[in-house]
Amino acid sequence: MNLRDTILVTGGAGFIGSNFVLQWIERVGTPVVNLDLLTYAGNPANLDSVKDDARHLLVRGDICDAELIGSLLREHRPRAIVHFAAESHVDRSIVAPDAFIRTNVQGTFNLLEQAKLYWATLEERDKKAFRFLHVSTDEVYGTLGAGDPAFCETTPYAPNSPYAASKAASDHLARAYHHTWRMPVLTTNCSNNYGPFQFPEKLIPLMILNALEGKPLPVYGDGGNVRDWLFVEDHCSAIRAALERGRVGETYNIGGNSERKNIDVVSTICDLVDEMSPDSAAGPRRRLISFVQDRPGHDRRYAINASKIADELGWSPLERFESGLRKTVRWYLDHRAWTENVRSGAYLDWMERNYAERLAL
Ligand code: NAD
Ligand code: DAU
C-alpha cells in the first residue's frame, strides 16, 4: 500500500459509505481502510465487488474505541478521514435515542480527538494536506415552511429530533477542532439520499419492497411533508469534490434540487412497480397507500440551497429524480437476494415496533 494515498472511511459498509467506497475504488483507485461496526445497518455484502481487491480493507470496529482508532491511524497513516459512521434513522432515534448520543456524539468526538493526536505527529507538508471530512445532514437546520427560502450554510441550527440534535452536536465538535487547533476539518450537510444499498427502513426502499409484496404503504400524517431528494452517487461525488477542492474550516450544503411531497414519491413508486412487476389480478399498487399516525415532531419541509458548492467547487447533481428513482426501483427488483438477506429477525422486530400501532389507527 502506498501509505500517503490511503484514506480512512468510517461507516463504509452502510448505505452512503458503501456507495462512496465503491465509487472511490472505481474512480480514484487509491487504498481505502474501511472501519465499520457492522450494526444492523452495516452490510459487508454491499462491498462484495471489492472483497478481493487489495485496495480495500474492511475492519470491524467501533468509532468509540480510542485504542483501535489510534492504532489504525498509526499503522495506515491515511491522508484523509471521511466520517460517515452514525446512527441514521430518525424514527429509531425517537424510540431509543441512547445509541445516537453514543455513536454520533461520543464516537465523533473520539474520532476527532484521535485524528488530532495523529495529525500532530505529521510533517508540516502532510499536516497541511491532511483532511477530516465530516459527513452530516440538512436536518440540523430544523424545518421550513412552504414559502421559506432553502437552507444555506448560514441558516441557524435548530435540530428537532434526537437524531438531528446528535448530528448537530457532532457538527459543532468538528467546527471546534478546526477553530481551536486549526485542524483541516470540513463538514458537508446533505439532503435525503436514495439509491442502491439503502436499508429498507427508510422511505423509498421500504415502499418499493412493500409495494412488490402487496403490503400496506404507511405514509405518515397527511403525506404532505417535503424532502429534497439526491441520488446517492451524486452525494458521493460531492464529498469527493469537497475533499479534494473544499476550503478547510468550511461547510458545504449538498442537495438534489428535487423537492417532492412524500405522497407523490410513494405514488410514483407504485406506478414504477406496476410497470416493472405488473400484478394485474390484485390491481394498481396505489391501493396499498395507507395514511398512518405521524412521526412525533415531524419536520414539514427540507430544501437545500447548494449554490456554494456549485460556485466554489463546480459540483452539481447529474441524476434527475425521475430517472434516479426508476434506476433505484430496478435495482431493488434485481437484487432480491440482497433484500432477503438484510431483512433478518432484527429487521422484523423493528417493523413490528414502529408500525404495529401506527397501522392500527
Ligand atoms: P447507514 O445507517 O446506512 O450506515 C451507517 C453505517 O455506520 C453502518 O454501516 C453502521 O454499521 C456504521 N456504524 C454505526 N455505528 C458505528 C460505530 N459506533 N462505529 C463504526 N461504525 C458504525 O447511514 P447512511 O444513510 O449511509 O448515512 C451515512 C452518513 O451520512 C451518516 O452520518 C448520516 O448522518 C449522513 N447522511 C445521511 C443521509 C441519508 O439520506 N441517508 C443524508 C445526509 C447525511
Ligand atoms: O435529510 C437528510 C436525512 O434524510 C438523513 O440525515 C437521515 O439519515 C435520513 O434517514 C433521512 O431522514 P428522513 O427522516 O427524512 O428519511 P426517512 O426515509 O425516514 O423519511 C422520509 C420521509 O418519509 C419523512 O418525511 C418521513 C416519511 N416516512 C418515512 C417512513 C420510514 C413515511 O411517511 N413513512 C415511513 O414509513
Side-chain angles (χ1 to χ4, degrees):
M1 253 183 204
N2 177 354
L3 297 187
R4 291 216 51 244
D5 277 347
T6 300
I7 62 166
L8 173 66
V9 169
T10 71
F15 163 48
I16 306 173
S18 62
N19 276 283
F20 179 85
V21 168
L22 296 179
Q23 195 185 82
W24 183 275
I25 295 289
E26 188 191 310
R27 301 196 192 165
V28 182
T30 55
V32 177
V33 176
N34 183 354
L35 173 68
D36 198 300
L37 188 56
L38 302 180
T39 68
Y40 79 92
N43 184 359
N46 299 2
L47 300 157
D48 269 353
S49 63
V50 292
K51 80 173 184 310
D52 298 321
D53 193 316
R55 295 168 297 179
H56 176 244
L57 176 67
L58 179 61
V59 178
R60 184 171 195 180
D62 193 337
I63 57 166
C64 297
D65 182 341
E67 215 168 290
L68 173 66
I69 307 287
S71 74
L72 283 175
L73 292 172
R74 283 189 299 275
E75 183 185 346
H76 296 284
R77 302 186 64 75
R79 71 170 172 91
I81 297 175
V82 186
H83 174 37
F84 293 96
E87 289 292 334
S88 70
H89 190 35
V90 173
D91 291 322
R92 286 185 191 257
S93 82
I94 294 167
V95 172
D98 315 42
F100 289 74
I101 305 306
R102 183 183 180 278
T103 289
N104 300 0
V105 184
Q106 194 73 36
T108 301
F109 161 68
N110 186 49
L111 198 61
L112 282 162
E113 191 57 20
Q114 291 305 315
K116 175 164 70 77
L117 295 175
Y118 163 68
W119 179 68
T121 68
L122 299 179
E123 286 172 15
E124 246 358 89
R125 194 187 50 160
D126 291 345
K127 249 182 155 166
K128 249 183 138 174
F130 182 78
R131 294 288 181 272
F132 185 110
L133 195 143
H134 173 58
V135 179
S136 192
T137 171
D138 60 358
E139 300 205 10
V140 298
Y141 298 122
T143 186
L144 293 169
D148 290 341
F151 301 130
C152 60
E153 288 78 0
T154 52
T155 302
Y157 273 33
N160 285 324
S161 69
Y163 162 70
S166 69
K167 291 296 292 187
S170 66
D171 292 10
H172 291 323
L173 286 167
R175 180 181 187 279
Y177 272 67
H178 170 71
H179 187 82
T180 307
W181 292 287
R182 301 331 261 179
M183 236 175 86
V185 176
L186 298 99
T187 297
T188 54
N189 294 89
C190 187
S191 64
N192 286 63
N193 284 218
Y194 68 100
F197 300 120
Q198 187 166 30
F199 192 76
E201 64 188 355
K202 305 283 168 67
L203 180 77
I204 288 182
L206 176 76
M207 295 296 165
I208 296 172
L209 296 182
N210 280 12
L212 259 177
E213 292 165 8
K215 293 182 181 162
L217 306 178
V219 174
Y220 296 167
D222 66 359
N225 302 69
V226 171
R227 297 293 182 266
D228 175 359
W229 294 97
L230 178 71
F231 194 57
V232 64
E233 289 180 13
D234 280 325
H235 186 189
C236 296
S237 72
I239 291 170
R240 282 198 288 113
L243 192 61
E244 300 311 334
R245 305 190 290 285
R247 286 184 293 136
V248 297
E250 292 292 320
T251 66
Y252 292 93
N253 280 0
I254 304 170
N257 212 12
S258 293
E259 286 184 60
R260 297 288 185 280
K261 284 187 180 158
N262 291 341
I263 186 62
D264 295 336
V265 172
V266 175
S267 302
T268 308
I269 290 172
C270 289
D271 299 346
L272 286 167
V273 174
D274 285 345
E275 179 195 317
M276 294 183 207
S277 181
D279 184 357
S280 38
R285 262 65 172 215
R286 286 186 186 219
R287 76 184 190 286
L288 300 168
I289 292 174
S290 153
F291 292 94
V292 301
Q293 191 180 76
D294 208 352
R295 174 185 280 175
H298 196 176
D299 286 339
R300 190 65 181 170
R301 173 178 166 240
Y302 302 145
I304 282 277
N305 175 343
S307 57
K308 179 174 172 183
I309 191 167
D311 295 346
E312 276 191 25
L313 309 183
W315 176 89
S316 57
L318 296 178
E319 193 73 59
R320 287 175 48 255
F321 183 65
E322 283 62 33
S323 54
L325 191 58
R326 176 174 283 279
K327 279 185 190 169
T328 303
V329 173
R330 185 76 264 159
W331 189 89
Y332 280 91
L333 259 60
D334 291 345
H335 292 81
R336 296 311 300 272
W338 182 91
T339 54
E340 287 320 313
N341 184 28
V342 297
R343 293 197 296 175
S344 64
Y347 176 82
L348 298 176
D349 291 348
W350 167 250
M351 288 292 122
E352 176 65 19
R353 196 165 175 190
N354 193 41
Y355 293 101
E357 278 180 24
R358 284 196 157 105
L359 284 165
L361 275 188

mmCIF file of all heavy atoms in Angstrom, residues 31 33 45 57 64 91 109 119 131 158-159 173 181 193 230 247 264 266 288 314 337 354:
data_model
loop_
_atom_site.group_PDB
_atom_site.id
_atom_site.type_symbol
_atom_site.label_atom_id
_atom_site.label_comp_id
_atom_site.label_asym_id
_atom_site.label_seq_id
_atom_site.Cartn_x
_atom_site.Cartn_y
_atom_site.Cartn_z
ATOM 1 N N PRO A 31 -5.899 3.318 -1.974
ATOM 2 C CA PRO A 31 -6.378 2.410 -0.928
ATOM 3 C C PRO A 31 -7.350 3.043 0.075
ATOM 4 O O PRO A 31 -7.220 4.217 0.428
ATOM 5 C CB PRO A 31 -5.088 1.988 -0.214
ATOM 6 C CG PRO A 31 -3.993 2.254 -1.179
ATOM 7 C CD PRO A 31 -4.426 3.428 -1.996
ATOM 8 N N VAL A 33 -9.093 2.191 3.883
ATOM 9 C CA VAL A 33 -9.307 1.393 5.089
ATOM 10 C C VAL A 33 -10.710 1.760 5.578
ATOM 11 O O VAL A 33 -11.014 2.935 5.792
ATOM 12 C CB VAL A 33 -8.250 1.706 6.176
ATOM 13 C CG1 VAL A 33 -8.556 0.936 7.452
ATOM 14 C CG2 VAL A 33 -6.859 1.369 5.665
ATOM 15 N N ALA A 45 -21.995 -7.315 2.482
ATOM 16 C CA ALA A 45 -22.421 -7.716 1.130
ATOM 17 C C ALA A 45 -22.463 -6.513 0.174
ATOM 18 O O ALA A 45 -22.337 -6.683 -1.045
ATOM 19 C CB ALA A 45 -23.790 -8.388 1.186
ATOM 20 N N LEU A 57 -9.682 -2.509 2.572
ATOM 21 C CA LEU A 57 -9.547 -3.306 3.789
ATOM 22 C C LEU A 57 -10.716 -2.969 4.719
ATOM 23 O O LEU A 57 -10.840 -1.827 5.172
ATOM 24 C CB LEU A 57 -8.221 -2.960 4.470
ATOM 25 C CG LEU A 57 -7.964 -3.629 5.821
ATOM 26 C CD1 LEU A 57 -7.794 -5.144 5.658
ATOM 27 C CD2 LEU A 57 -6.721 -3.025 6.479
ATOM 28 N N CYS A 64 -16.029 4.520 18.749
ATOM 29 C CA CYS A 64 -15.848 4.927 20.152
ATOM 30 C C CYS A 64 -14.591 4.299 20.778
ATOM 31 O O CYS A 64 -14.245 4.614 21.918
ATOM 32 C CB CYS A 64 -17.067 4.525 20.983
ATOM 33 S SG CYS A 64 -18.571 5.343 20.469
ATOM 34 N N ASP A 91 -36.708 7.717 13.065
ATOM 35 C CA ASP A 91 -37.713 7.000 13.877
ATOM 36 C C ASP A 91 -37.059 6.207 15.005
ATOM 37 O O ASP A 91 -37.583 6.144 16.115
ATOM 38 C CB ASP A 91 -38.542 6.052 12.995
ATOM 39 C CG ASP A 91 -39.454 6.826 12.043
ATOM 40 O OD1 ASP A 91 -39.999 7.860 12.452
ATOM 41 O OD2 ASP A 91 -39.586 6.391 10.881
ATOM 42 N N PHE A 109 -16.570 12.623 18.606
ATOM 43 C CA PHE A 109 -15.576 13.258 19.480
ATOM 44 C C PHE A 109 -14.301 12.406 19.537
ATOM 45 O O PHE A 109 -13.177 12.904 19.377
ATOM 46 C CB PHE A 109 -16.162 13.459 20.884
ATOM 47 C CG PHE A 109 -15.111 13.676 21.935
ATOM 48 C CD1 PHE A 109 -14.352 14.833 21.948
ATOM 49 C CD2 PHE A 109 -14.855 12.702 22.886
ATOM 50 C CE1 PHE A 109 -13.349 15.019 22.892
ATOM 51 C CE2 PHE A 109 -13.859 12.876 23.828
ATOM 52 C CZ PHE A 109 -13.094 14.036 23.837
ATOM 53 N N TRP A 119 -2.582 13.773 13.669
ATOM 54 C CA TRP A 119 -2.261 14.931 12.821
ATOM 55 C C TRP A 119 -1.058 15.694 13.390
ATOM 56 O O TRP A 119 -0.181 16.151 12.640
ATOM 57 C CB TRP A 119 -3.511 15.809 12.743
ATOM 58 C CG TRP A 119 -3.365 17.045 11.944
ATOM 59 C CD1 TRP A 119 -3.193 17.153 10.596
ATOM 60 C CD2 TRP A 119 -3.405 18.389 12.447
ATOM 61 N NE1 TRP A 119 -3.121 18.470 10.222
ATOM 62 C CE2 TRP A 119 -3.253 19.253 11.343
ATOM 63 C CE3 TRP A 119 -3.556 18.949 13.715
ATOM 64 C CZ2 TRP A 119 -3.242 20.644 11.468
ATOM 65 C CZ3 TRP A 119 -3.551 20.334 13.851
ATOM 66 C CH2 TRP A 119 -3.389 21.166 12.739
ATOM 67 N N ARG A 131 -6.925 15.904 5.621
ATOM 68 C CA ARG A 131 -8.311 16.376 5.702
ATOM 69 C C ARG A 131 -9.120 15.458 6.606
ATOM 70 O O ARG A 131 -8.975 14.229 6.567
ATOM 71 C CB ARG A 131 -8.983 16.364 4.321
ATOM 72 C CG ARG A 131 -8.399 17.333 3.313
ATOM 73 C CD ARG A 131 -8.769 18.774 3.651
ATOM 74 N NE ARG A 131 -8.234 19.725 2.696
ATOM 75 C CZ ARG A 131 -7.039 20.297 2.770
ATOM 76 N NH1 ARG A 131 -6.205 19.997 3.757
ATOM 77 N NH2 ARG A 131 -6.641 21.171 1.863
ATOM 78 N N ALA A 158 -31.262 24.375 14.237
ATOM 79 C CA ALA A 158 -32.476 24.211 15.055
ATOM 80 C C ALA A 158 -32.940 22.753 14.957
ATOM 81 O O ALA A 158 -34.036 22.476 14.464
ATOM 82 C CB ALA A 158 -33.573 25.157 14.578
ATOM 83 N N PRO A 159 -32.086 21.803 15.399
ATOM 84 C CA PRO A 159 -32.419 20.384 15.201
ATOM 85 C C PRO A 159 -33.647 19.976 16.005
ATOM 86 O O PRO A 159 -33.791 20.381 17.146
ATOM 87 C CB PRO A 159 -31.170 19.666 15.720
ATOM 88 C CG PRO A 159 -30.538 20.616 16.678
ATOM 89 C CD PRO A 159 -30.826 21.997 16.144
ATOM 90 N N LEU A 173 -18.699 19.945 17.229
ATOM 91 C CA LEU A 173 -17.382 19.432 17.628
ATOM 92 C C LEU A 173 -16.395 19.548 16.465
ATOM 93 O O LEU A 173 -15.244 19.991 16.649
ATOM 94 C CB LEU A 173 -17.492 17.977 18.090
ATOM 95 C CG LEU A 173 -18.123 17.776 19.472
ATOM 96 C CD1 LEU A 173 -18.475 16.309 19.702
ATOM 97 C CD2 LEU A 173 -17.169 18.266 20.565
ATOM 98 N N TRP A 181 -7.776 24.245 17.053
ATOM 99 C CA TRP A 181 -6.438 23.717 16.756
ATOM 100 C C TRP A 181 -6.043 23.882 15.292
ATOM 101 O O TRP A 181 -5.015 23.386 14.881
ATOM 102 C CB TRP A 181 -6.353 22.236 17.169
ATOM 103 C CG TRP A 181 -6.418 22.047 18.657
ATOM 104 C CD1 TRP A 181 -5.445 22.340 19.570
ATOM 105 C CD2 TRP A 181 -7.536 21.555 19.420
ATOM 106 N NE1 TRP A 181 -5.872 22.049 20.832
ATOM 107 C CE2 TRP A 181 -7.149 21.562 20.784
ATOM 108 C CE3 TRP A 181 -8.808 21.090 19.098
ATOM 109 C CZ2 TRP A 181 -7.996 21.136 21.805
ATOM 110 C CZ3 TRP A 181 -9.649 20.668 20.117
ATOM 111 C CH2 TRP A 181 -9.247 20.698 21.445
ATOM 112 N N ASN A 193 -30.893 11.133 0.718
ATOM 113 C CA ASN A 193 -30.314 10.299 -0.333
ATOM 114 C C ASN A 193 -31.227 9.125 -0.659
ATOM 115 O O ASN A 193 -31.975 8.656 0.196
ATOM 116 C CB ASN A 193 -28.992 9.693 0.136
ATOM 117 C CG ASN A 193 -27.836 10.671 0.145
ATOM 118 O OD1 ASN A 193 -26.721 10.299 -0.184
ATOM 119 N ND2 ASN A 193 -28.059 11.903 0.514
ATOM 120 N N LEU A 230 -31.735 13.369 -3.355
ATOM 121 C CA LEU A 230 -30.464 13.352 -4.103
ATOM 122 C C LEU A 230 -30.035 11.900 -4.331
ATOM 123 O O LEU A 230 -29.996 11.099 -3.378
ATOM 124 C CB LEU A 230 -29.378 14.079 -3.297
ATOM 125 C CG LEU A 230 -27.988 14.105 -3.943
ATOM 126 C CD1 LEU A 230 -27.986 15.029 -5.169
ATOM 127 C CD2 LEU A 230 -26.925 14.576 -2.954
ATOM 128 N N ARG A 247 -12.510 24.264 0.908
ATOM 129 C CA ARG A 247 -11.665 25.063 1.800
ATOM 130 C C ARG A 247 -11.811 24.562 3.223
ATOM 131 O O ARG A 247 -12.936 24.350 3.698
ATOM 132 C CB ARG A 247 -12.091 26.535 1.727
ATOM 133 C CG ARG A 247 -11.652 27.200 0.427
ATOM 134 C CD ARG A 247 -12.004 28.682 0.432
ATOM 135 N NE ARG A 247 -13.441 28.906 0.407
ATOM 136 C CZ ARG A 247 -14.084 29.796 1.158
ATOM 137 N NH1 ARG A 247 -13.411 30.545 2.021
ATOM 138 N NH2 ARG A 247 -15.388 29.961 1.055
ATOM 139 N N ASP A 264 -46.345 12.058 -3.171
ATOM 140 C CA ASP A 264 -46.027 11.992 -4.604
ATOM 141 C C ASP A 264 -44.914 10.968 -4.867
ATOM 142 O O ASP A 264 -44.943 10.243 -5.870
ATOM 143 C CB ASP A 264 -45.623 13.370 -5.128
ATOM 144 C CG ASP A 264 -46.799 14.344 -5.054
ATOM 145 O OD1 ASP A 264 -47.958 13.875 -5.060
ATOM 146 O OD2 ASP A 264 -46.561 15.572 -4.958
ATOM 147 N N VAL A 266 -44.318 8.291 -3.054
ATOM 148 C CA VAL A 266 -44.881 6.946 -2.871
ATOM 149 C C VAL A 266 -45.779 6.583 -4.069
ATOM 150 O O VAL A 266 -45.722 5.450 -4.577
ATOM 151 C CB VAL A 266 -45.659 6.862 -1.532
ATOM 152 C CG1 VAL A 266 -46.347 5.515 -1.377
ATOM 153 C CG2 VAL A 266 -44.708 7.111 -0.356
ATOM 154 N N LEU A 288 -52.586 0.326 -2.043
ATOM 155 C CA LEU A 288 -51.943 -0.083 -0.788
ATOM 156 C C LEU A 288 -51.590 1.104 0.112
ATOM 157 O O LEU A 288 -51.218 0.921 1.274
ATOM 158 C CB LEU A 288 -50.659 -0.872 -1.099
ATOM 159 C CG LEU A 288 -50.838 -2.160 -1.910
ATOM 160 C CD1 LEU A 288 -49.482 -2.675 -2.387
ATOM 161 C CD2 LEU A 288 -51.550 -3.217 -1.071
ATOM 162 N N GLY A 314 -17.646 23.669 -8.315
ATOM 163 C CA GLY A 314 -18.122 23.228 -9.629
ATOM 164 C C GLY A 314 -18.928 21.949 -9.581
ATOM 165 O O GLY A 314 -19.027 21.229 -10.581
ATOM 166 N N ALA A 337 -32.030 -11.140 -3.504
ATOM 167 C CA ALA A 337 -31.222 -11.878 -2.521
ATOM 168 C C ALA A 337 -30.659 -10.911 -1.482
ATOM 169 O O ALA A 337 -30.638 -11.197 -0.273
ATOM 170 C CB ALA A 337 -30.090 -12.629 -3.216
ATOM 171 N N ASN A 354 -42.256 -0.269 15.095
ATOM 172 C CA ASN A 354 -42.557 1.063 14.551
ATOM 173 C C ASN A 354 -43.935 1.164 13.923
ATOM 174 O O ASN A 354 -44.536 2.226 13.944
ATOM 175 C CB ASN A 354 -41.496 1.446 13.513
ATOM 176 C CG ASN A 354 -41.567 2.921 13.144
ATOM 177 O OD1 ASN A 354 -41.755 3.777 14.012
ATOM 178 N ND2 ASN A 354 -41.437 3.215 11.877
#
